[in-house]
Each structure stands twice: as structure tokens, then as C-alpha cells.
């Protein structure tokens, strides 16, 4: 019978790879918590309306990439394509703003976008996401970018760049939208169908286009950076000053517009040149109007998201795969010895140490082969003769030496030997 395969673009993370994931998650938790962020976990499905309102009707994500479906009650739901809208919803729903002041949250988990799968781009992918509510100071924009640098460093990835830009406020965007629209009209019909449509609906989104000829035509497009108001310019200058103070290197890239409508003022992308066309490993920015637009108070906010698959791809290029191995493998010969090994293994596990054993009565040779393959630090060999004399062979797999020890209190003895190494 034909076996069922996973959905295209949705990957299994197998035990051989999971060490990367666990390492990244641990680093993320440590770094984010040290900056005062607290974890939040929202559902993977939300009402479709949340994303349509939160991300923008005319964005690629909402128009083309959403996993939207009608459930059995006839409600329209969607698998979350990103975390910000959900976190904002939760922040409003639970009145997390009621305490006043600034709140910092993070979330780690799967996101879903119906994109064309390729290396570094999947339909289920994972993000580390962080959001700050209640601060409009440029200091927090700079701190967040600095934090991303600390995080990438802690994860063990080198050679990433930070590109920053400002998208201005709705006021300057309005002015710029008209300037851009005029430019697009002057360029004529050379753009792809999508861009021609965007020209009328949401001109800024043309910068998301992945079609080569559109990118070329846009080379000479007017820059938003040249049309921002004084307040937005002052904010941007202050962000840059703070970044310099923190020693965080950056480049201003006026072409960063980000694929979501809600961004304003500061936007940034963390990039690498080692992943081919999927060069962005993370990105974020300020979205001051979103909480209000989703029915909450008028609270400023900044956030970012990093793609974990891309981090794993980079780690695989740079580092040796992290492996987990047991502290001790219990090899045994005969039913009685196996029963004893079974109990000892549970006791060692009870102390928080990884233990493995043979459950099936295989030959000693095959057990030793398994122990070796598992990378166990020690092997305890329990034979019938040893058991009769209340003794056990302890093999140190690093030094390849073996000694006979009393079975009584063997776990304590083993731990003492290990602590003396
Ligand atoms: P975005 O929410 O689009 O700004 O994405 C933030 C980060 O998530 C990107 O920089 C990528 O690292 C990652 N990402 C976004 N979409 C995908 C995808 N389809 N597959 C894998 N990673 C993704």
C-alpha cells in the first residue's frame, strides 16, 4: 500500500536535526528574557478577519498565501501567517495594556504561508517573534535591533548584516504614495500584472515584487526616505544615534518596505549572503497604529520576527551538528542481569541523567556496538557471573578502560568517578 507523505512545504524536524532547534530556542529564551520579554503562546488558528485587518487586505500574505478555511460551523479561520496580529489581539483581549507602561512579549512557533517551496522557504515555517507595546522612544527601536544582533551572536551565527530604513508616518506615506504612483504611471505598462494592479490599490507593495523586470524598473523609483516629515526624520536620526552608541553596525537601505502594511517609521532586516535568494533571516519594525486599528487603545509598538529554518541552514553551514548521547548504557547478559539493569537505568534517569539499556536480550557484542554508536560516556556490563558476585564491569568509553566494581551503590560510585574527571 502506498504510504502517506507529508504536505509539500511542511517538514518534519527529525531527531538528527532537533539539536539545532533546541539550541536556537534556548538561546532565544535566554536572550529575550534578559531584555525583559516574556513568553506568550497564541493559537495557530485565528479568525480570518484578524489577519485581513491586521496585515492588510492587499498584501501578498493575505491575498495569496493564507491558509484560510471555513470550519464546520461556517466560521472563516486562517492558520497564522505571522505572530504579530495574534499577539496584538491577545494584548487587547486580555487588557494587557491596563497596567500601563511598556510590555514586552515573545513567541516561538510555527507559521503558515502558501508560498512556492524552495530552500529556505516553506509553507510551514517557524519564527521567533518579539513585540514591545507602549514605547515610542527611538531607544526601543535601536535596542530591538541591538538585541537581534546579540541573539544571532548567541545562536552562533556570524556575518549577518543589519539594514534599516524608515517608512515615515501615515502623513508622509500619503505624500509619497502619490509621488510613487506618478512615477509608476510614467514608467508605463512594463510592470507585471500584479504591480500594475498594486499601482492603483497599494503602490508601496510594488517593492515586494519578486519579478526581475519590475525590480529593474524600480531602480530609479523615488525614495520614501526623501519624502519623510521632520518628526519622522528626527526619530530616524535618533535611532541611528542609539545604534552607534551601542556599537551596532547597520546600513541604511531605502528599499526596505517589508511585506506587511502595518509598519511605519523604523523598519529593519537582518540579512545574510549565504542563503542564495532567501537572504532575509529576520525583520521587523514599528507599527504604532495597529493596536488601535484592531480595536485597542492607541499604543505604539515595535516588533520583529526571525525565521528559524534559515537560522538552522546557516548553523549547518558553520557548525558541527549537536548530538545528544546517554551518560550510561547498561549492557546485560541473562534475564536476571537484564532485570537489574532495567531498574538501575530508571534510577539513573530519576537523577536526571540519560540512560539506555538493552531490553531484548541481544548478544553482548551487539549491545556493545549499540552503546558505542549511541555515544554513551560509560557502559555498565552486568553478566550473570558478575551479578552472582555482586559486581559490575564499568567501561569508560572515552579512555577505553574497564574496571570491576561492587554492584552496591554503583550509581553513586559512577557519579563520583565521573565528577573526578
Ligand atoms: P516576515 O514576517 O515575512 O518579515 O518574515 C520574517 C522572517 O521569517 C523572514 O526573514 C524569514 O527568515 C522567515 N520567513 C518568512 N517566510 C518564510 C517562509 N515561507 N519559509 C521560511 N522562512 C520564512
Amino acid at each position: 500500500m502506498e504510504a502517506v507523505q507529508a504536505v509539500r512545504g511542511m517538514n518534519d524536524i527529525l531527531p538528527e536535526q532537533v539539536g539545532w532547534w533546541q539550541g536556537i530556542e534556548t538561546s532565544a529564551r535566554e536572550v529575550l528574557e534578559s531584555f525583559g520579554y516574556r513568553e506568550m503562546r497564541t493559537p495557530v488558528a485565528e479568525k480570518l478577519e484578524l489577519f485581513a485587518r491586521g496585515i492588510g487586505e492587499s498584501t501578498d500574505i493575505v491575498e495569496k498565501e493564507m491558509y484560510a478555511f471555513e470550519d464546520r460551523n461556517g466560521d472563516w479561520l486562517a492558520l497564522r501567517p505571522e505572530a504579530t496580529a495574534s499577539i496584538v489581539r491577545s494584548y487587547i483581549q486580555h487588557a494587557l495594556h491596563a497596567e500601563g507602561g511598556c510590555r514586552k512579549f515573545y513567541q516561538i512557533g510555527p507559521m503558515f504561508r502558501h508560498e512556492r517551496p524552495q530552500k529556505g522557504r516553506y509553507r510551514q515555517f517557524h519564527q521567533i517573534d518579539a513585540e514591545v507595546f507602549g514605547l515610542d522612544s527611538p531607544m526601543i527601536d535601536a535596542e530591538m535591533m541591538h538585541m537581534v544582533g546579540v541573539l544571532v551572536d548567541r545562536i552562533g551565527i556570524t556575518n549577518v548584516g543589519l539594514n534599516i530604513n524608515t517608512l515615515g508616518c501615515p502623513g508622509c506615506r500619503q505624500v509619497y504614495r502619490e509621488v510613487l504612483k506618478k512615477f509608476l504611471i510614467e514608467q508605463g505598462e512594463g510592470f507585471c500584472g500584479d504591480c500594475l494592479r498594486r499601482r492603483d490599490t497599494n503602490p508601496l507593495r510594488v517593492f515586494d515584487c519578486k519579478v526581475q523586470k519590475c525590480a529593474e524598473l524600480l531602480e530609479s523609483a523615488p525614495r520614501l526616505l526623501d519624502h519623510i516629515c521632520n518628526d519622522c526624520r528626527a526619530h530616524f536620526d535618533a535611532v541611528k544615534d542609539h545604534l552607534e552608541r551601542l556599537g551596532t553596525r547597520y546600513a541604511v537601505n531605502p528599499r526596505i518596505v517589508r511585506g506587511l502594511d502595518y509598519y511605519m517609521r523604523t523598519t529593519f532586516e537582518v540579512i545574510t549572503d549565504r542563503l542564495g535568494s532567501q537572504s532575509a533571516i529576520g525583520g521587523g519594525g514599528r507599527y504604532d497604529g495597529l493596536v488601535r486599528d484592531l480595536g485597542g487603545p492607541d499604543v505604539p509598538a515595535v516588533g520583529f520576527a526571525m525565521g528559524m529554518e534559515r537560522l538552522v541552514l546557516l548553523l549547518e553551514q558553520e557548525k558541527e551538528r549537536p548530538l545528544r548521547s546517554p551518560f550510561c548504557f547498561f549492557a546485560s547478559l541473562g534475564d536476571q542481569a537484564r532485570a537489574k539493569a532495567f531498574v538501575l537505568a530508571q534510577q539513573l534517569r530519576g537523577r536526571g541523567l540519560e540512560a539506555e539499556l538493552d531490553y531484548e536480550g541481544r548478544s553482548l557484542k551487539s549491545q556493545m556496538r549499540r552503546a558505542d554508536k549511541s555515544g554513551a560516556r560509560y557502559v555498565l556490563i552486568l553478566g550473570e557471573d558478575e551479578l552472582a558476585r555482586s559486581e559490575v564491569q564499568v567501561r569508560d568509553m572515552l579512555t577505553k578502560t574497564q574496571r570491576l566494581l561492587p554492584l552496591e551503590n554503583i550509581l553513586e560510585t559512577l557519579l563520583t568517578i565521573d565528577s573526578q574527571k
Side-chain angles (χ1 to χ4, degrees):
M1 216 198 302
E2 207 181 316
V4 179
Q5 304 282 310
V7 177
R8 195 164 111 87
M10 301 198 182
N11 300 318
D12 298 312
I13 299 167
L14 298 175
E16 294 88 82
Q17 300 141 356
V18 87
W20 298 119
W21 292 80
Q22 292 171 337
I24 293 171
E25 284 165 20
T26 304
S27 303
R29 290 199 162 83
E30 281 172 10
V31 170
L32 290 162
E33 305 250 350
S34 75
F35 279 81
Y37 290 74
R38 295 293 173 255
E39 187 170 359
M40 166 186 278
R41 301 183 191 193
T42 60
V44 290
E46 297 270 359
K47 291 185 181 154
L48 175 61
E49 178 198 350
L50 174 70
F51 301 116
R53 278 171 64 186
I55 300 174
E57 297 270 12
S58 56
T59 55
D60 271 4
I61 293 182
V62 171
E63 265 188 352
K64 301 186 194 159
E65 296 167 2
M66 200 118 79
Y67 276 92
F69 58 97
E70 203 175 351
D71 79 357
R72 288 171 191 276
N73 301 333
D75 293 325
W76 276 94
L77 306 183
L79 299 182
R80 61 182 182 193
E82 52 101 56
T84 306
S86 306
I87 295 180
V88 173
R89 182 213 30 83
S90 177
Y91 175 77
I92 300 169
Q93 181 172 341
H94 302 286
L96 301 178
H97 44 81
E99 277 177 34
C102 116
R103 300 289 307 260
K104 296 174 169 176
F105 306 103
Y106 72 94
Q107 167 141 238
I108 301 176
M111 308 293 154
F112 304 85
R113 295 182 196 171
H114 198 274
E115 298 194 77
R116 199 165 45 78
Q118 53 177 273
K119 190 175 169 211
R121 198 199 289 166
Y122 310 101
R123 291 182 171 170
Q124 173 175 318
F125 59 99
H126 297 74
Q127 285 185 338
I128 301 163
D129 182 276
E131 315 287 342
V132 180
F133 297 98
L135 287 176
D136 51 21
S137 163
M139 233 178 218
I140 192 70
D141 308 35
E143 184 186 274
M144 182 168 273
M145 292 184 254
H146 165 70
M147 179 174 78
V148 173
V150 174
L151 177 54
V152 166
D153 211 46
R154 183 77 59 89
I155 290 171
I157 290 169
T158 51
N159 284 327
V160 298
L162 170 66
N163 280 346
I164 70 170
N165 189 23
T166 177
L167 295 182
C169 59
C172 12
R173 279 256 272 285
Q174 188 63 38
V175 175
Y176 175 68
R177 195 173 293 131
E178 292 312 311
V179 176
L180 180 63
K181 202 166 164 178
K182 189 160 163 271
F183 166 83
L184 296 173
I185 293 168
E186 279 164 13
Q187 294 300 302
E189 304 297 305
F191 290 98
C192 72
D194 276 345
C195 282
L196 291 175
R197 196 166 43 78
R198 290 176 179 127
R199 187 173 72 187
D200 301 317
T201 53
N202 194 348
L204 243 79
R205 294 270 73 85
V206 294
F207 292 108
D208 301 336
C209 188
K210 292 171 186 118
V211 177
Q212 184 62 27
K213 69 172 181 196
C214 298
E216 283 164 17
L217 284 169
L218 287 170
E219 294 268 338
S220 57
R223 305 181 330 166
L224 176 56
L225 198 54
D226 299 324
H227 293 84
I228 57 174
C229 67
N230 289 342
D231 284 354
C232 288
R233 181 161 303 281
H235 186 96
F236 193 48
D237 288 343
V239 170
K240 288 188 287 184
D241 286 347
H242 287 310
L243 282 175
E244 274 150 37
R245 229 162 259 139
L246 293 171
T248 303
R249 290 161 58 135
Y250 66 88
V252 174
N253 179 351
R255 298 279 170 230
I256 304 180
V257 289
R258 319 263 319 122
L260 306 106
D261 268 355
Y262 53 64
Y263 285 111
M264 60 170 286
R265 289 202 169 160
T266 317
T267 52
F268 62 93
E269 262 174 17
V270 182
I271 49 154
T272 170
D273 55 11
R274 299 193 195 170
L275 289 181
S277 57
Q278 306 308 315
S279 60
I281 55 175
R286 181 167 278 284
Y287 55 94
D288 289 353
L290 184 64
V291 181
R292 187 198 54 221
D293 289 352
L294 289 177
D298 197 2
V299 171
V302 204
F304 86 88
M306 251 201 302
M308 296 175 74
E309 279 74 5
R310 294 184 193 174
L311 296 175
V312 171
L313 285 171
L314 287 173
L315 282 176
E316 278 175 345
Q317 289 178 9
E318 291 189 19
K319 293 208 156 25
E320 277 200 23
R321 178 178 286 183
L323 285 180
R324 250 203 98 100
S325 44
F327 176 69
C328 183
F329 187 98
F330 292 85
S332 56
L333 273 179
D335 292 345
Q336 262 193 324
R338 192 159 77 250
K340 181 71 186 166
F342 179 60
V343 173
L344 284 173
Q346 315 310 329
Q347 288 172 350
L348 193 60
R349 290 167 178 166
R351 294 168 176 239
L353 288 165
E354 184 176 339
E356 218 24 270
L357 72 150
D358 169 63
Y359 297 93
E360 297 151 299
R362 289 177 189 269
S363 72
L364 188 60
K365 199 167 157 205
S366 119
Q367 292 186 50
M368 290 308 287
R369 218 180 299 128
R370 225 188 103 198
D372 200 34
K373 202 164 161 221
S374 76
R377 178 73 184 81
Y378 300 97
V379 183
L380 254 65
I381 307 162
L382 285 142
E384 305 213 293
D385 294 348
E386 281 97 342
L387 198 62
R389 292 194 306 268
S390 258
E391 285 176 334
V392 55
Q393 296 276 359
V394 175
R395 187 167 172 78
D396 182 324
M397 298 297 275
L398 263 188
T399 59
K400 306 277 180 220
T401 52
Q402 195 162 313
R403 51 178 155 166
L404 196 61
L405 293 168
L407 185 55
E408 203 179 344
N409 294 330
I410 184 61
L411 297 184
E412 277 74 19
T413 313
L414 185 61
L415 292 173
T416 312
I417 292 175
D418 187 61
S419 67
Q420 287 162 352
K421 296 270 168 194

